[in-house]
C-alpha cells in the first residue's frame, strides 16, 4: 500500500535575528491530519501553542525552518558537531548539527560541491533523533539547500533542487 505524506511548515521569523515569531505545522500523514500553531515571544522567552497553556521558551528561539537559515551562517567544519539550545520548545533541545563530509552531487539543477550535515532535534518531525536525516548545502557563500534525505518511521523522503534563481540570474537544470 501507499503511505501519503502532505506536510506544510510555515515560519515567521525576524530577518535580522532569525528569531522565530510564529510557526505553523499542517501535517497529513497516512490519513491522519494534525495542525499545530505556535506563537513565539522572544523578548519574554515564552511560546504559546494554540489550545494550550503558554510555556517558557529560550533566548533567541528558532523553529525547524528558521534553524535551517541559522545553520547556513555557521563555519561548518567537517567532523565537527555543533550543539545548540535554541529550539523554541526547550524539551527538544539540544539540536545537534553534525558536519559529516564534503561531497559533489548531481541533482536536476546541476552538479554541486556540497557540505553534508546531519541535524537532530528531539521531536518526531523530519529531523527526529529516531530518524536519520541528511542535508546537502552548496559549499559556497550561498549555502543553498541542494538535497535533503530523511527516514522516519516507515517513510523515506528525498528532496532535490530543480532550479535556482539569484537576483534574476537563473541556474538552468
Amino acid at each position: 500500500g501507499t503511505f501519503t505524506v502532505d506536510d506544510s511548515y510555515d515560519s515567521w521569523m525576524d530577518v535580522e535575528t532569525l528569531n522565530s515569531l510564529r510557526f505553523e505545522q499542517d501535517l497529513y500523514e497516512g490519513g491522519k491530519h494534525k495542525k499545530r500553531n505556535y506563537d513565539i515571544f522572544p523578548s519574554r522567552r515564552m511560546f504559546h501553542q494554540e489550545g494550550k497553556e503558554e510555556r517558557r521558551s529560550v533566548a533567541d528561539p528558532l523553529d525547524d525552518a528558521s534553524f535551517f537559515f541559522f545553520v547556513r551562517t555557521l563555519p561548518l567544519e567537517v567532523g565537527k558537531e555543533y550543539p545548540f539550545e535554541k529550539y523554541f520548545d526547550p524539551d527538544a533541545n539540544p539540536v545537534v548539527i553534525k558536519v559529516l563530509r564534503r561531497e559533489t552531487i548531481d541533482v536536476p539543477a546541476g552538479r554541486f560541491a556540497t557540505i553534508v550535515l546531519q541535524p537532530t532535534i528531539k521531536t518526531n518531525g523530519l529531523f527526529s533523533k529516531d530518524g536519520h536525516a541528511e542535508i546537502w548545502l552548496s559549499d559556497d557563500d550561498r549555502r543553498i539547500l541542494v538535497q535533503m534525505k530523511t527516514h522516519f518511521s516507515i517513510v523515506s523522503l528525498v528532496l532535490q533542487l530543480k532550479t535556482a534563481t539569484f537576483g534574476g540570474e537563473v541556474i538552468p537544470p
Side-chain angles (χ1 to χ4, degrees):
T2 58
F3 186 88
T4 303
V5 175
D6 183 7
D7 292 355
S8 171
Y9 296 84
D10 291 307
S11 180
W12 285 255
M13 56 198 229
D14 182 307
V15 294
E16 291 189 0
T17 63
L18 301 183
N19 287 345
S20 298
L21 304 173
R22 184 167 174 82
F23 182 52
E24 296 182 356
Q25 297 174 317
D26 200 356
L27 313 173
Y28 287 93
E29 296 174 357
K32 293 181 186 155
H33 182 218
K34 282 185 232 151
K35 198 166 169 57
R36 297 186 196 111
N37 297 330
Y38 302 91
D39 285 300
I40 302 161
F41 309 100
S43 59
R44 295 195 291 120
R45 291 191 187 185
M46 299 295 283
F47 77 95
H48 177 250
Q49 180 179 352
E50 200 173 282
K52 297 194 174 180
E53 293 286 310
E54 196 171 81
R55 289 178 45 209
R56 181 142 303 286
S57 187
V58 298
D60 301 318
L62 301 171
D63 61 49
D64 304 53
S66 56
F67 228 110
F68 170 72
F69 284 91
F70 167 71
V71 163
R72 294 168 65 202
T73 71
L74 302 175
L76 300 178
E77 290 180 46
V78 172
K80 290 222 168 150
E81 274 191 26
Y82 300 87
F84 296 100
E85 301 281 338
K86 292 170 84 66
Y87 196 75
F88 75 93
D89 181 348
D91 292 348
N93 285 317
V95 174
V96 179
I97 308 297
K98 276 187 198 169
V99 186
L100 301 180
R101 64 190 176 275
R102 285 191 151 77
E103 186 177 346
T104 298
I105 63 167
D106 293 300
V107 294
R111 176 166 284 185
F112 289 85
T114 64
I115 302 170
V116 187
L117 312 177
Q118 181 185 5
T120 51
I121 303 177
K122 290 181 187 168
T123 63
N124 55 5
L126 288 178
F127 306 121
S128 74
K129 61 186 190 309
D130 301 328
H132 181 87
E134 290 187 0
I135 291 176
W136 285 253
L137 296 181
S138 62
D139 192 3
D140 59 18
D141 291 346
R142 290 186 171 131
R143 293 262 175 90
I144 57 174
L145 178 61
V146 174
Q147 179 172 264
M148 182 175 88
K149 291 183 180 182
T150 184
H151 311 281
F152 56 104
S153 60
I154 57 171
V155 179
S156 288
L157 178 68
V158 178
L159 304 174
Q160 293 185 324
L161 183 66
K162 284 188 174 178
T163 59
T165 306
F166 303 104
E169 158 205 0
V170 176
I171 294 180

